[in-house]
Short mmCIF file of all heavy atoms in Angstrom, two decimals:
data_model
loop_
_atom_site.label_atom_id
_atom_site.label_comp_id
_atom_site.label_asym_id
_atom_site.label_seq_id
_atom_site.Cartn_x
_atom_site.Cartn_y
_atom_site.Cartn_z
N MET A 1 27.43 83.36 -71.02
CA MET A 1 27.33 83.25 -69.56
C MET A 1 28.62 82.69 -68.99
O MET A 1 29.32 81.94 -69.62
CB MET A 1 26.14 82.38 -69.17
CG MET A 1 24.82 83.06 -69.49
SD MET A 1 23.52 82.60 -68.37
CE MET A 1 22.95 81.10 -69.16
N ILE A 2 28.88 83.05 -67.76
CA ILE A 2 30.12 82.69 -67.12
C ILE A 2 29.83 81.81 -65.91
O ILE A 2 28.84 82.02 -65.21
CB ILE A 2 30.87 83.95 -66.64
CG1 ILE A 2 31.04 84.93 -67.81
CG2 ILE A 2 32.23 83.58 -66.03
CD1 ILE A 2 31.46 86.31 -67.37
N MET A 3 30.72 80.84 -65.69
CA MET A 3 30.57 80.02 -64.51
C MET A 3 31.08 80.79 -63.29
O MET A 3 32.20 81.29 -63.29
CB MET A 3 31.37 78.73 -64.67
CG MET A 3 31.11 77.75 -63.56
SD MET A 3 31.87 76.15 -63.89
CE MET A 3 33.60 76.57 -63.77
N LYS A 4 30.25 80.87 -62.28
CA LYS A 4 30.62 81.58 -61.06
C LYS A 4 30.24 80.73 -59.86
O LYS A 4 29.40 79.85 -59.95
CB LYS A 4 29.88 82.91 -60.99
CG LYS A 4 30.23 83.88 -62.08
CD LYS A 4 29.39 85.13 -61.95
CE LYS A 4 29.72 86.12 -63.07
NZ LYS A 4 28.83 87.29 -63.00
N ALA A 5 30.85 81.06 -58.74
CA ALA A 5 30.50 80.37 -57.51
C ALA A 5 30.19 81.40 -56.42
O ALA A 5 30.78 82.47 -56.37
CB ALA A 5 31.63 79.46 -57.06
N CYS A 6 29.26 81.02 -55.56
CA CYS A 6 28.85 81.89 -54.47
C CYS A 6 29.91 81.88 -53.36
O CYS A 6 30.36 80.83 -52.94
CB CYS A 6 27.52 81.40 -53.93
SG CYS A 6 26.97 82.28 -52.47
N LYS A 7 30.28 83.08 -52.89
CA LYS A 7 31.27 83.16 -51.81
C LYS A 7 30.70 82.68 -50.49
O LYS A 7 31.43 82.33 -49.57
CB LYS A 7 31.73 84.62 -51.65
CG LYS A 7 32.63 85.08 -52.78
CD LYS A 7 33.10 86.50 -52.52
CE LYS A 7 34.01 86.98 -53.64
NZ LYS A 7 34.48 88.36 -53.39
N ASN A 8 29.40 82.69 -50.38
CA ASN A 8 28.75 82.30 -49.13
C ASN A 8 28.49 80.80 -49.04
O ASN A 8 28.95 80.14 -48.12
CB ASN A 8 27.46 83.10 -48.97
CG ASN A 8 26.80 82.83 -47.64
OD1 ASN A 8 27.46 82.78 -46.61
ND2 ASN A 8 25.50 82.63 -47.67
N CYS A 9 27.76 80.25 -50.04
CA CYS A 9 27.38 78.83 -49.95
C CYS A 9 28.14 77.95 -50.94
O CYS A 9 27.96 76.74 -50.94
CB CYS A 9 25.87 78.68 -50.16
SG CYS A 9 25.30 79.05 -51.83
N ARG A 10 28.97 78.55 -51.81
CA ARG A 10 29.82 77.85 -52.78
C ARG A 10 29.05 77.17 -53.91
O ARG A 10 29.62 76.39 -54.67
CB ARG A 10 30.74 76.83 -52.08
CG ARG A 10 31.67 77.45 -51.06
CD ARG A 10 32.77 76.50 -50.69
NE ARG A 10 32.26 75.26 -50.16
CZ ARG A 10 32.11 75.02 -48.85
NH1 ARG A 10 32.48 75.90 -47.99
NH2 ARG A 10 31.61 73.88 -48.44
N LEU A 11 27.78 77.46 -54.07
CA LEU A 11 27.01 76.94 -55.19
C LEU A 11 27.58 77.47 -56.51
O LEU A 11 27.90 78.65 -56.61
CB LEU A 11 25.54 77.36 -55.06
CG LEU A 11 24.60 76.88 -56.17
CD1 LEU A 11 24.37 75.37 -56.06
CD2 LEU A 11 23.27 77.61 -56.10
N VAL A 12 27.74 76.56 -57.50
CA VAL A 12 28.24 76.96 -58.82
C VAL A 12 27.06 77.21 -59.75
O VAL A 12 26.17 76.38 -59.85
CB VAL A 12 29.17 75.89 -59.41
CG1 VAL A 12 29.55 76.22 -60.86
CG2 VAL A 12 30.43 75.76 -58.56
N VAL A 13 27.07 78.36 -60.42
CA VAL A 13 25.97 78.70 -61.34
C VAL A 13 26.53 79.29 -62.62
O VAL A 13 27.60 79.89 -62.63
CB VAL A 13 24.99 79.72 -60.70
CG1 VAL A 13 24.17 79.07 -59.61
CG2 VAL A 13 25.73 80.93 -60.15
N TYR A 14 25.81 79.11 -63.73
CA TYR A 14 26.12 79.79 -64.98
C TYR A 14 25.14 80.95 -65.08
O TYR A 14 23.95 80.74 -65.25
CB TYR A 14 25.91 78.86 -66.18
CG TYR A 14 26.97 77.81 -66.31
CD1 TYR A 14 26.82 76.55 -65.74
CD2 TYR A 14 28.13 78.08 -67.04
CE1 TYR A 14 27.80 75.58 -65.87
CE2 TYR A 14 29.11 77.11 -67.18
CZ TYR A 14 28.94 75.87 -66.60
OH TYR A 14 29.90 74.92 -66.74
N THR A 15 25.66 82.14 -64.93
CA THR A 15 24.74 83.27 -64.87
C THR A 15 25.41 84.58 -65.22
O THR A 15 26.63 84.71 -65.13
CB THR A 15 24.13 83.38 -63.45
OG1 THR A 15 23.21 84.46 -63.43
CG2 THR A 15 25.19 83.63 -62.40
N GLY A 16 24.63 85.55 -65.62
CA GLY A 16 25.12 86.90 -65.81
C GLY A 16 24.81 87.74 -64.59
O GLY A 16 25.20 88.89 -64.51
N GLU A 17 24.11 87.15 -63.63
CA GLU A 17 23.76 87.87 -62.40
C GLU A 17 24.97 87.99 -61.49
O GLU A 17 25.96 87.30 -61.65
CB GLU A 17 22.65 87.10 -61.65
CG GLU A 17 21.38 86.92 -62.43
CD GLU A 17 20.66 88.23 -62.68
OE1 GLU A 17 20.67 89.09 -61.79
OE2 GLU A 17 20.08 88.40 -63.76
N LYS A 18 24.87 88.87 -60.50
CA LYS A 18 25.98 89.07 -59.58
C LYS A 18 25.72 88.51 -58.19
O LYS A 18 26.60 88.53 -57.33
CB LYS A 18 26.30 90.57 -59.47
CG LYS A 18 26.96 91.10 -60.72
CD LYS A 18 27.31 92.57 -60.59
CE LYS A 18 28.02 93.04 -61.86
NZ LYS A 18 28.24 94.50 -61.84
N VAL A 19 24.51 88.02 -58.00
CA VAL A 19 24.22 87.43 -56.69
C VAL A 19 23.73 86.00 -56.84
O VAL A 19 23.16 85.61 -57.86
CB VAL A 19 23.17 88.27 -55.90
CG1 VAL A 19 23.73 89.64 -55.56
CG2 VAL A 19 21.87 88.37 -56.68
N CYS A 20 23.96 85.22 -55.81
CA CYS A 20 23.59 83.82 -55.77
C CYS A 20 22.07 83.64 -55.78
O CYS A 20 21.37 84.28 -54.99
CB CYS A 20 24.18 83.21 -54.50
SG CYS A 20 23.70 81.52 -54.20
N PRO A 21 21.54 82.77 -56.68
CA PRO A 21 20.09 82.55 -56.73
C PRO A 21 19.57 81.79 -55.50
O PRO A 21 18.38 81.80 -55.22
CB PRO A 21 19.90 81.71 -58.00
CG PRO A 21 21.22 81.05 -58.23
CD PRO A 21 22.26 82.00 -57.69
N LYS A 22 20.48 81.16 -54.77
CA LYS A 22 20.07 80.35 -53.63
C LYS A 22 20.06 81.16 -52.33
O LYS A 22 19.08 81.13 -51.59
CB LYS A 22 21.03 79.17 -53.49
CG LYS A 22 20.72 78.21 -52.37
CD LYS A 22 21.76 77.10 -52.36
CE LYS A 22 21.79 76.40 -51.02
NZ LYS A 22 23.03 75.63 -50.87
N CYS A 23 21.14 81.91 -52.09
CA CYS A 23 21.24 82.59 -50.79
C CYS A 23 21.42 84.10 -50.91
O CYS A 23 21.41 84.81 -49.90
CB CYS A 23 22.39 82.00 -49.97
SG CYS A 23 24.02 82.49 -50.55
N GLY A 24 21.59 84.60 -52.15
CA GLY A 24 21.74 86.05 -52.33
C GLY A 24 23.16 86.54 -52.06
O GLY A 24 23.41 87.74 -52.04
N GLY A 25 24.08 85.60 -51.86
CA GLY A 25 25.47 85.96 -51.59
C GLY A 25 26.19 86.45 -52.84
O GLY A 25 25.70 86.30 -53.96
N GLU A 26 27.36 87.02 -52.64
CA GLU A 26 28.15 87.55 -53.75
C GLU A 26 28.75 86.42 -54.58
O GLU A 26 29.26 85.45 -54.03
CB GLU A 26 29.28 88.43 -53.19
CG GLU A 26 30.05 89.18 -54.27
CD GLU A 26 31.21 89.97 -53.69
OE1 GLU A 26 31.31 90.06 -52.44
OE2 GLU A 26 32.02 90.48 -54.46
N LEU A 27 28.72 86.54 -55.93
CA LEU A 27 29.29 85.53 -56.80
C LEU A 27 30.69 85.93 -57.23
O LEU A 27 30.99 87.11 -57.40
CB LEU A 27 28.41 85.35 -58.05
CG LEU A 27 27.02 84.79 -57.83
CD1 LEU A 27 26.24 84.78 -59.14
CD2 LEU A 27 27.08 83.38 -57.26
N SER A 28 31.56 84.93 -57.40
CA SER A 28 32.94 85.17 -57.83
C SER A 28 33.29 84.25 -58.99
O SER A 28 32.83 83.11 -59.04
CB SER A 28 33.88 84.91 -56.66
OG SER A 28 35.22 84.94 -57.13
N GLU A 29 34.10 84.76 -59.93
CA GLU A 29 34.57 83.91 -61.03
C GLU A 29 35.82 83.13 -60.63
O GLU A 29 36.27 82.25 -61.35
CB GLU A 29 34.87 84.77 -62.25
CG GLU A 29 33.63 85.40 -62.85
CD GLU A 29 33.98 86.51 -63.84
OE1 GLU A 29 35.01 86.38 -64.52
OE2 GLU A 29 33.24 87.49 -63.90
N LYS A 30 36.40 83.50 -59.49
CA LYS A 30 37.64 82.86 -59.06
C LYS A 30 37.34 81.66 -58.17
O LYS A 30 37.39 81.74 -56.95
CB LYS A 30 38.50 83.87 -58.31
CG LYS A 30 39.00 84.97 -59.22
CD LYS A 30 39.72 86.04 -58.43
CE LYS A 30 40.09 87.21 -59.34
NZ LYS A 30 40.45 88.39 -58.55
N LEU A 31 37.02 80.55 -58.83
CA LEU A 31 36.73 79.35 -58.08
C LEU A 31 37.70 78.25 -58.49
O LEU A 31 38.24 78.26 -59.58
CB LEU A 31 35.29 78.90 -58.33
CG LEU A 31 34.91 78.63 -59.78
CD1 LEU A 31 34.77 77.15 -60.03
CD2 LEU A 31 33.60 79.33 -60.10
N SER A 32 37.95 77.33 -57.59
CA SER A 32 38.81 76.22 -57.93
C SER A 32 38.26 74.92 -57.39
O SER A 32 37.84 74.85 -56.24
CB SER A 32 40.23 76.45 -57.39
OG SER A 32 40.21 76.50 -56.00
N GLY A 33 38.20 73.92 -58.27
CA GLY A 33 37.71 72.61 -57.89
C GLY A 33 36.21 72.60 -57.79
O GLY A 33 35.60 73.58 -57.40
N MET A 34 35.60 71.50 -58.20
CA MET A 34 34.16 71.39 -58.10
C MET A 34 33.75 70.01 -57.62
O MET A 34 34.39 69.02 -57.94
CB MET A 34 33.50 71.63 -59.47
CG MET A 34 33.45 73.09 -59.85
SD MET A 34 32.23 73.35 -61.15
CE MET A 34 33.05 72.53 -62.50
N ILE A 35 32.69 69.98 -56.85
CA ILE A 35 32.11 68.70 -56.50
C ILE A 35 30.62 68.74 -56.85
O ILE A 35 29.96 69.76 -56.68
CB ILE A 35 32.30 68.34 -55.01
CG1 ILE A 35 31.80 69.46 -54.09
CG2 ILE A 35 33.75 68.03 -54.71
CD1 ILE A 35 31.80 69.04 -52.63
N ILE A 36 30.14 67.61 -57.38
CA ILE A 36 28.73 67.52 -57.72
C ILE A 36 28.06 66.64 -56.67
O ILE A 36 28.46 65.50 -56.46
CB ILE A 36 28.54 66.92 -59.13
CG1 ILE A 36 29.18 67.84 -60.17
CG2 ILE A 36 27.05 66.73 -59.43
CD1 ILE A 36 29.33 67.22 -61.54
N VAL A 37 27.08 67.21 -55.99
CA VAL A 37 26.39 66.50 -54.92
C VAL A 37 25.01 66.08 -55.42
O VAL A 37 24.18 66.92 -55.74
CB VAL A 37 26.27 67.39 -53.67
CG1 VAL A 37 25.49 66.67 -52.58
CG2 VAL A 37 27.65 67.78 -53.16
N LEU A 38 24.82 64.77 -55.53
CA LEU A 38 23.53 64.24 -56.00
C LEU A 38 22.68 63.73 -54.85
O LEU A 38 21.45 63.81 -54.88
CB LEU A 38 23.76 63.11 -57.00
CG LEU A 38 24.53 63.49 -58.27
CD1 LEU A 38 24.81 62.26 -59.11
CD2 LEU A 38 23.76 64.52 -59.09
N GLU A 39 23.33 63.17 -53.84
CA GLU A 39 22.61 62.64 -52.69
C GLU A 39 23.28 63.14 -51.41
O GLU A 39 24.10 62.43 -50.82
CB GLU A 39 22.62 61.11 -52.72
CG GLU A 39 21.87 60.53 -53.90
CD GLU A 39 21.92 59.00 -53.89
OE1 GLU A 39 22.97 58.45 -54.25
OE2 GLU A 39 20.93 58.38 -53.51
N PRO A 40 22.93 64.34 -51.00
CA PRO A 40 23.61 64.96 -49.84
C PRO A 40 23.57 64.10 -48.59
O PRO A 40 24.55 64.07 -47.84
CB PRO A 40 22.82 66.25 -49.63
CG PRO A 40 22.18 66.54 -50.94
CD PRO A 40 21.91 65.21 -51.57
N GLU A 41 22.47 63.36 -48.39
CA GLU A 41 22.33 62.57 -47.16
C GLU A 41 23.31 61.39 -47.15
O GLU A 41 23.69 60.89 -46.10
CB GLU A 41 20.91 62.02 -47.02
CG GLU A 41 19.82 63.06 -47.00
CD GLU A 41 19.40 63.49 -48.41
OE1 GLU A 41 19.77 62.81 -49.38
OE2 GLU A 41 18.73 64.52 -48.53
N ARG A 42 23.68 60.93 -48.35
CA ARG A 42 24.51 59.74 -48.45
C ARG A 42 25.96 60.04 -48.82
O ARG A 42 26.78 59.14 -48.91
CB ARG A 42 23.91 58.77 -49.47
CG ARG A 42 22.55 58.26 -49.03
CD ARG A 42 21.89 57.45 -50.12
NE ARG A 42 22.69 56.29 -50.49
CZ ARG A 42 22.36 55.43 -51.45
NH1 ARG A 42 21.25 55.59 -52.12
NH2 ARG A 42 23.12 54.41 -51.73
N SER A 43 26.28 61.30 -49.07
CA SER A 43 27.62 61.66 -49.53
C SER A 43 28.52 62.10 -48.39
O SER A 43 28.22 63.05 -47.68
CB SER A 43 27.50 62.79 -50.57
OG SER A 43 28.78 63.35 -50.80
N GLU A 44 29.64 61.40 -48.24
CA GLU A 44 30.61 61.79 -47.20
C GLU A 44 31.24 63.14 -47.53
O GLU A 44 31.52 63.94 -46.65
CB GLU A 44 31.70 60.72 -47.08
CG GLU A 44 31.20 59.40 -46.53
CD GLU A 44 30.62 59.53 -45.13
OE1 GLU A 44 31.18 60.28 -44.32
OE2 GLU A 44 29.59 58.89 -44.85
N ILE A 45 31.46 63.38 -48.83
CA ILE A 45 32.06 64.66 -49.24
C ILE A 45 31.11 65.80 -48.89
O ILE A 45 31.53 66.84 -48.39
CB ILE A 45 32.35 64.66 -50.76
CG1 ILE A 45 33.41 63.60 -51.08
CG2 ILE A 45 32.84 66.03 -51.22
CD1 ILE A 45 33.55 63.30 -52.56
N ALA A 46 29.84 65.59 -49.15
CA ALA A 46 28.85 66.63 -48.84
C ALA A 46 28.83 66.93 -47.34
O ALA A 46 28.72 68.08 -46.93
CB ALA A 46 27.47 66.21 -49.32
N LYS A 47 28.95 65.88 -46.53
CA LYS A 47 28.97 66.08 -45.08
C LYS A 47 30.19 66.90 -44.66
O LYS A 47 30.09 67.81 -43.85
CB LYS A 47 28.98 64.73 -44.36
CG LYS A 47 27.61 64.09 -44.29
CD LYS A 47 27.70 62.72 -43.64
CE LYS A 47 26.43 61.92 -43.90
NZ LYS A 47 26.64 60.49 -43.64
N LEU A 48 31.33 66.54 -45.24
CA LEU A 48 32.56 67.28 -44.91
C LEU A 48 32.46 68.74 -45.32
O LEU A 48 32.95 69.62 -44.64
CB LEU A 48 33.77 66.63 -45.62
CG LEU A 48 34.26 65.31 -45.04
CD1 LEU A 48 35.33 64.71 -45.93
CD2 LEU A 48 34.81 65.50 -43.63
N ALA A 49 31.83 68.97 -46.47
CA ALA A 49 31.72 70.34 -46.99
C ALA A 49 30.48 71.05 -46.45
O ALA A 49 30.21 72.18 -46.82
CB ALA A 49 31.70 70.31 -48.52
N GLU A 50 29.72 70.35 -45.60
CA GLU A 50 28.50 70.90 -45.01
C GLU A 50 27.50 71.35 -46.07
O GLU A 50 26.93 72.42 -46.01
CB GLU A 50 28.85 72.07 -44.06
CG GLU A 50 29.69 71.61 -42.88
CD GLU A 50 30.10 72.77 -41.99
OE1 GLU A 50 29.93 73.93 -42.38
OE2 GLU A 50 30.58 72.49 -40.87
N ILE A 51 27.31 70.47 -47.06
CA ILE A 51 26.35 70.74 -48.14
C ILE A 51 25.13 69.85 -47.93
O ILE A 51 25.26 68.65 -47.72
CB ILE A 51 27.00 70.45 -49.51
CG1 ILE A 51 28.08 71.49 -49.79
CG2 ILE A 51 25.95 70.44 -50.62
CD1 ILE A 51 29.03 71.08 -50.90
N ASN A 52 23.95 70.44 -47.97
CA ASN A 52 22.75 69.64 -47.77
C ASN A 52 21.70 69.84 -48.86
O ASN A 52 20.56 69.43 -48.74
CB ASN A 52 22.13 69.93 -46.39
CG ASN A 52 21.96 71.41 -46.15
OD1 ASN A 52 21.80 72.17 -47.10
ND2 ASN A 52 22.00 71.83 -44.90
N VAL A 53 22.11 70.47 -49.96
CA VAL A 53 21.21 70.67 -51.09
C VAL A 53 21.89 70.17 -52.36
O VAL A 53 23.09 70.41 -52.56
CB VAL A 53 20.85 72.17 -51.26
CG1 VAL A 53 19.92 72.37 -52.45
CG2 VAL A 53 20.21 72.71 -49.99
N VAL A 54 21.15 69.43 -53.20
CA VAL A 54 21.69 68.91 -54.45
C VAL A 54 22.19 70.04 -55.34
O VAL A 54 21.54 71.07 -55.47
CB VAL A 54 20.60 68.10 -55.20
CG1 VAL A 54 21.07 67.69 -56.59
CG2 VAL A 54 20.21 66.87 -54.40
N GLY A 55 23.37 69.83 -55.94
CA GLY A 55 23.88 70.85 -56.85
C GLY A 55 25.37 70.69 -57.08
O GLY A 55 25.98 69.73 -56.62
N THR A 56 25.94 71.63 -57.81
CA THR A 56 27.38 71.65 -58.07
C THR A 56 28.00 72.74 -57.21
O THR A 56 27.51 73.86 -57.16
CB THR A 56 27.65 71.95 -59.56
OG1 THR A 56 26.94 71.01 -60.36
CG2 THR A 56 29.14 71.84 -59.86
N TYR A 57 29.09 72.38 -56.52
CA TYR A 57 29.69 73.33 -55.61
C TYR A 57 31.18 73.47 -55.87
O TYR A 57 31.84 72.50 -56.27
CB TYR A 57 29.50 72.86 -54.14
CG TYR A 57 28.05 72.85 -53.75
CD1 TYR A 57 27.24 71.78 -54.03
CD2 TYR A 57 27.50 73.95 -53.10
CE1 TYR A 57 25.89 71.78 -53.69
CE2 TYR A 57 26.17 73.98 -52.73
CZ TYR A 57 25.36 72.88 -53.03
OH TYR A 57 24.04 72.91 -52.70
N ALA A 58 31.70 74.67 -55.64
CA ALA A 58 33.14 74.90 -55.75
C ALA A 58 33.79 74.49 -54.44
O ALA A 58 33.21 74.64 -53.37
CB ALA A 58 33.40 76.37 -56.03
N ILE A 59 35.01 73.97 -54.54
CA ILE A 59 35.73 73.62 -53.33
C ILE A 59 36.31 74.88 -52.69
O ILE A 59 36.26 75.07 -51.49
CB ILE A 59 36.84 72.59 -53.65
CG1 ILE A 59 36.17 71.27 -54.07
CG2 ILE A 59 37.75 72.38 -52.44
CD1 ILE A 59 37.13 70.27 -54.67
N LYS A 60 36.85 75.77 -53.55
CA LYS A 60 37.36 77.04 -53.02
C LYS A 60 36.82 78.20 -53.86
O LYS A 60 36.75 78.10 -55.08
CB LYS A 60 38.89 77.08 -53.08
CG LYS A 60 39.56 76.29 -51.98
CD LYS A 60 41.06 76.48 -52.06
CE LYS A 60 41.76 75.65 -50.98
NZ LYS A 60 43.21 75.69 -51.13
N VAL A 61 36.46 79.27 -53.22
CA VAL A 61 36.01 80.49 -53.91
C VAL A 61 36.81 81.64 -53.33
O VAL A 61 36.88 81.82 -52.11
CB VAL A 61 34.52 80.76 -53.68
CG1 VAL A 61 34.07 81.96 -54.51
CG2 VAL A 61 33.68 79.53 -54.04
N LYS A 62 37.45 82.39 -54.23
CA LYS A 62 38.22 83.56 -53.75
C LYS A 62 37.39 84.82 -53.90
O LYS A 62 36.64 84.96 -54.85
CB LYS A 62 39.52 83.69 -54.55
CG LYS A 62 40.54 82.67 -54.14
CD LYS A 62 41.83 82.91 -54.91
CE LYS A 62 42.86 81.85 -54.60
NZ LYS A 62 44.04 81.95 -55.44
ZN1 ZN B 101 24.94 81.25 -52.23
#
């Protein structure tokens, strides 16, 4: 399995699928940087990145 990130919501997943399990967006292998959000309500980074669901996210997805 390959690590991919969603172009739409930036969720990082290990999958052989081509679409995001969360939003159905297109997945890309070209991602750079990752942030792990454990407490979206309390995380300043999550607020800046507009993330409100626990998970691992790519900072940039091409
Ligand atoms: Zn997505």
Side-chain angles (χ1 to χ4, degrees):
M1 291 211 274
I2 306 166
M3 188 172 68
K4 296 177 181 176
C6 174
K7 288 183 180 180
N8 184 43
C9 68
R10 300 195 302 265
L11 180 71
V12 173
V13 288
Y14 286 93
T15 182
E17 301 292 324
K18 288 182 178 174
V19 295
C20 174
K22 182 180 160 197
C23 74
E26 188 184 351
L27 294 175
S28 171
E29 292 166 34
K30 293 173 186 165
L31 57 107
S32 64
M34 282 198 291
I35 53 172
I36 297 167
V37 177
L38 300 174
E39 295 179 284
E41 302 83 13
R42 296 173 60 182
S43 167
E44 292 300 321
I45 296 167
K47 281 177 195 163
L48 286 173
E50 297 177 348
I51 291 164
N52 51 28
V53 179
V54 173
T56 305
Y57 295 84
I59 292 169
K60 282 185 182 173
V61 185
K62 284 183 184 173

